[in-house]
């Protein structure tokens, strides 16, 4: 029996699957079974799979449960040693899966890992969503080796060392089944955005490790479900990021970080309104904060459990600095230039 299940969560992605599934089948079938979990698509996704990709297994969900909920429901039906959560808009390359499996087999302390992500449309550039592994700063802002805010680097091999990171991208996330369910899987309440960072943080809290393995390379389109600049994406990012912080921050830091984030979030909101003339983005930030305040109490039990199981009073992989300060004040536009 194969030890890896590649699970592609699909929602109305017929064009992406027709374009990218052939590479997944070609470069993965020897070592992994390929499964498409359909999130109640209304296009011809299932007909395409039946007609053109008969070797691909399917799981059919009765409605759109979002990224987090969809994966949880699908993976409940999948019994393999490793899960590979793979977006439908990813082109994989020869040997990508073998390199990840070999790394995981050799490093049992590692719960999850990711390949190096390059941009499909500009193939010598890193891809925004995951690049060569991710971190968050003291106040919860995510960035990557290869991408800090909107500055995306050309891949010149500068981040080709396998490296422990704080989070691995949900676009191509390999994770042990045991570890995935040890922390309860993705938080389905998030629906989409920040859910893989929250998952990885919870694993880090248990002393498990997350890695990027850049010898494995894939190409990602990105932005397929909610493109950058969409107010709903902004709303989800702010609401979910604050929720992630509330769940996972060490007790000694929670009050301070949340106070600073309140200031920074409203600065971002008024920048959108006054400088960018974008009322939709302003409302999305404000409404994201309001939504977090309304449902915060629903996560009290989660926070108590996470903190009780924490193996350290501090976060070893969360960066101690502000990436905003590094980027805008010090002018550190790339990960290599950040002043630790």
């Amino acid at each position: 029996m194969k030890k890896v299940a590649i699970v592609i969560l699909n929602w109305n992605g017929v064009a992406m699957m027709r374009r990218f599934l052939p590479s997944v089948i070609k470069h993965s079938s020897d070592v992994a079974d390929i499964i498409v979990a359909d999130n109640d698509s209304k296009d011809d996704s299932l007909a395409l799979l039946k007609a053109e990709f008969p070797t691909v297994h399917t799981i059919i969900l009765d409605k759109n449960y979002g990224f987090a909920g969809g994966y949880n429901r699908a993976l409940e039906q999948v019994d393999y040693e490793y899960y590979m959560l793979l977006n439908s808009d990813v082109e994989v390359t020869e040997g990508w899966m073998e390199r990840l499996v070999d790394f995981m087999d050799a490093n049992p302390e590692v719960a999850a890992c990711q390949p190096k992500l390059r941009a499909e449309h500009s193939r010598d550039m890193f891809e925004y969503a995951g690049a060569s592994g991710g971190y968050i700063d003291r106040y919860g802002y995510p960035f990557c080796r290869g991408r800090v805010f909107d500055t995306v680097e050309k891949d010149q091999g500068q981040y080709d060392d396998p490296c422990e990171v704080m989070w691995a991208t949900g676009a191509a996330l390999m994770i042990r089944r045991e570890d995935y369910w040890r922390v309860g899987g993705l938080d389905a309440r998030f629906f989409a955005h920040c859910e893989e960072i929250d998952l990885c943080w919870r694993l880090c809290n248990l002393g498990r490790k997350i890695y990027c393995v850049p010898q494995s390379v894939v190409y990602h389109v990105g932005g397929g479900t909610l493109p950058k600049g969409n107010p709903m994406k902004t709303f989800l990012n702010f609401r979910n990021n604050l929720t992630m912080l509330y769940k996972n921050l060490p007790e000694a830091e929670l009050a301070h970080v949340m106070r600073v984030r309140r200031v920074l979030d409203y600065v971002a909101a008024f920048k959108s309104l006054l400088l960018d003339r974008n009322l939709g983005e302003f409302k999305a930030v404000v409404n994201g904060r309001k939504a977090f305040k309304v449902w915060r109490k629903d996560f009290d039990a989660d926070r108590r459990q996470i903190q009780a199981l924490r193996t350290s009073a501090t976060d070893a992989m969360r960066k101690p600095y502000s990436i905003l300060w590094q980027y805008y004040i010090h002018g550190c536009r790339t990960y290599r230039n950040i002043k630790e």
Side-chain angles (χ1 to χ4, degrees), residues 64-262:
N64 182 3
Y65 289 96
F67 182 90
Y71 263 122
N72 284 347
R73 288 175 177 268
L75 294 177
E76 286 174 346
Q77 305 176 50
V78 177
D79 187 17
Y80 292 73
E81 183 177 351
Y82 299 122
Y83 300 145
M84 166 54 73
L85 283 61
L86 187 70
N87 279 15
S88 61
D89 59 349
V90 172
E91 174 189 340
V92 304
T93 63
E94 183 177 359
W96 79 292
M97 179 55 65
E98 290 88 344
R99 292 177 185 116
L100 296 175
V101 172
D102 288 348
F103 182 85
M104 295 291 280
D105 284 349
N107 296 277
E109 73 282 5
V110 176
C113 69
Q114 68 160 78
K116 176 168 64 177
L117 271 71
R118 291 185 182 144
E120 192 276 335
H121 64 278
S122 184
R123 298 172 74 86
D124 61 349
M125 302 294 291
F126 284 107
E127 200 278 319
Y128 182 94
S132 201
Y135 301 94
I136 62 172
D137 79 341
R138 185 178 184 186
Y139 301 109
Y141 292 95
F143 58 100
C144 304
R145 299 197 306 167
R147 189 274 299 173
V148 180
F149 293 125
D150 288 335
T151 301
V152 180
E153 294 181 58
K154 183 177 182 179
D155 180 14
Q156 299 175 310
Q158 66 269 43
Y159 305 118
D160 271 359
D161 55 311
C163 182
E164 186 176 2
V165 294
M166 185 163 184
W167 58 270
T169 175
L173 171 66
M174 174 172 275
I175 186 167
R176 298 179 195 274
R177 182 191 69 235
E178 180 182 1
D179 281 305
Y180 188 89
W181 294 115
R182 179 182 299 180
V183 293
L186 295 163
D187 193 328
R189 293 166 292 187
F190 281 31
F191 190 77
H193 296 293
C194 293
E195 65 279 90
E196 77 268 43
I197 305 179
D198 172 67
L199 173 68
C200 290
W201 197 347
R202 284 182 277 135
L203 287 166
C204 290
N205 284 337
L206 295 180
R208 303 293 286 154
K209 297 182 182 296
I210 315 296
Y211 262 76
C212 177
V213 184
Q215 288 66 41
S216 173
V217 179
V218 303
Y219 295 88
H220 184 214
V221 174
T225 304
L226 288 174
K228 189 178 178 183
N230 183 295
M232 178 53 70
K233 181 171 188 150
T234 300
F235 168 83
L236 290 171
N237 272 328
F238 275 82
R239 184 197 67 175
N240 293 351
N241 185 277
L242 290 167
T243 305
M244 174 185 74
L245 289 170
Y246 181 68
K247 289 169 63 178
N248 291 287
L249 277 170
E251 191 63 36
E253 295 186 66
L254 180 63
H256 169 73
V257 170
M258 287 304 196
R259 282 196 298 267
V260 173
R261 273 299 300 269
R262 184 185 303 116

Side-chain angles (χ1 to χ4, degrees), residues 12 34 37 55 60 110 129 131 144 146 159 168 178 192 206 309 315 330:
N12 294 336
I34 302 165
T55 62
I60 302 173
V110 176
C144 304
Y159 305 118
E178 180 182 1
L206 295 180
L309 296 175
D315 294 317
H330 287 305

